Amino acid sequence: MKYHEPVMLHECIEGLGIKPEGVYVDVTFGGGGHSKAILEKLGEKGVLIAFDQDPDAVANAIHDPRFVLVKDNFRNMFSQLKSQNLIPVNGILADLGVSSHQFDEAARGFSIRFEHNLDMRMNSNEGQTALKILNSYSEKELVRIFSAYGEVKNSKQLAAAIVHQRNINQFQNSVDLLNTIGRLVPKSNENQYLAQVYQALRIEVNDEMMALRELLEQSAACLNSTGRLVVMSYHSLEDRLVKNYISKGNFEGEIHHDLFGNVIGLKFNSITKKPIVPSEQEVKNNPRSRSAKLRIAEKI
């Protein structure tokens, strides 16, 4: 099993418009598939900075003098690049999906296929786990995350069932969770429902929406004029933030004007008016790519 099969590899590399002597950033290093392809396009003076907070990804570090792996969350991109005097950069790539390795490692807690202790941390060395959230969040807070991050239709009933059960016995693992919510799971789309529940917990555990907002804002500050931003998302919540920020300059998706009617706040020109999606052949070869959406923008 490969660590991770890079999704839309050709489209991502083309979107970056790589200059051989440029400075590029891969904020989601993972198995290194995208990073290796970037390095193949760079000349001797080119530089690639990669980020990954997952300790497991360190084993995939590329031995190349042009490559630097930063063991940190990409929400700290600006400060890390500034400390190395690497701003401005020519391109930034973000593949926001959970890696195949993370899904396939049962102990990580990302997959509904395994019994585990509901960890779900991207950085397994710090932060709160999904188990802690289930055992400590108020019913109102649970409704919020299941509704906002998982788009679970019966989020109120789901949260109530969790709180009722933990008042009897605290949750210990994924089996406890599945036994508790089993009666609420629609039999017609059981896997999709559970995936939405897991997604909501994972997003909350890793503060993914706020981290993405910070990444997008920092990208505008890190890129040079005409620098490229390439972002691949895997669910509508992420894609909406990316689309709004690229096209409107804010996360609400509203166009702002000055007193003279001129549009203000725009930081990017959209290269892709509609997101690029994987080909039928890629989805066939790599089913996990099926929900991917790729957007490309150029710094104004």
Side-chain angles (χ1 to χ4, degrees), residues 16 31 54 65 68-69 93 107 122 139 143 173-174 185 190 229 231 244 246 249 271 280:
L16 284 171
D54 187 345
V68 177
L69 178 60
L93 169 66
M122 293 290 188
E139 188 171 328
V143 171
N173 53 42
S174 58
V185 179
E190 182 176 357
L229 174 64
V231 183
N244 287 345
I246 286 175
I271 303 299
E280 291 183 8

Side-chain angles (χ1 to χ4, degrees), residues 139-159:
E139 188 171 328
K140 183 178 180 180
E141 289 175 314
L142 289 172
V143 171
R144 173 184 62 82
I145 66 171
F146 289 131
S147 177
Y149 297 155
E151 300 178 300
V152 178
K153 292 182 179 180
N154 60 348
S155 57
K156 290 183 179 180
Q157 294 95 318
L158 179 63

Side-chain angles (χ1 to χ4, degrees), residues 242-267:
V242 176
K243 176 185 176 182
N244 287 345
Y245 193 75
I246 286 175
S247 62
K248 305 296 192 303
N250 58 70
F251 299 112
E252 295 73 37
E254 300 175 357
I255 297 177
H256 296 156
H257 299 87
D258 62 18
L259 294 175
F260 303 99
N262 300 310
V263 177
I264 58 174
L266 293 179
K267 302 170 182 67

Side-chain angles (χ1 to χ4, degrees), residues 117-118 127-137 166 170:
N117 63 359
L118 292 163
Q128 65 180 345
T129 66
L131 185 65
K132 183 175 181 180
I133 287 173
L134 289 171
N135 283 324
S136 63
Y137 270 34
R166 80 182 188 206
Q170 291 266 294

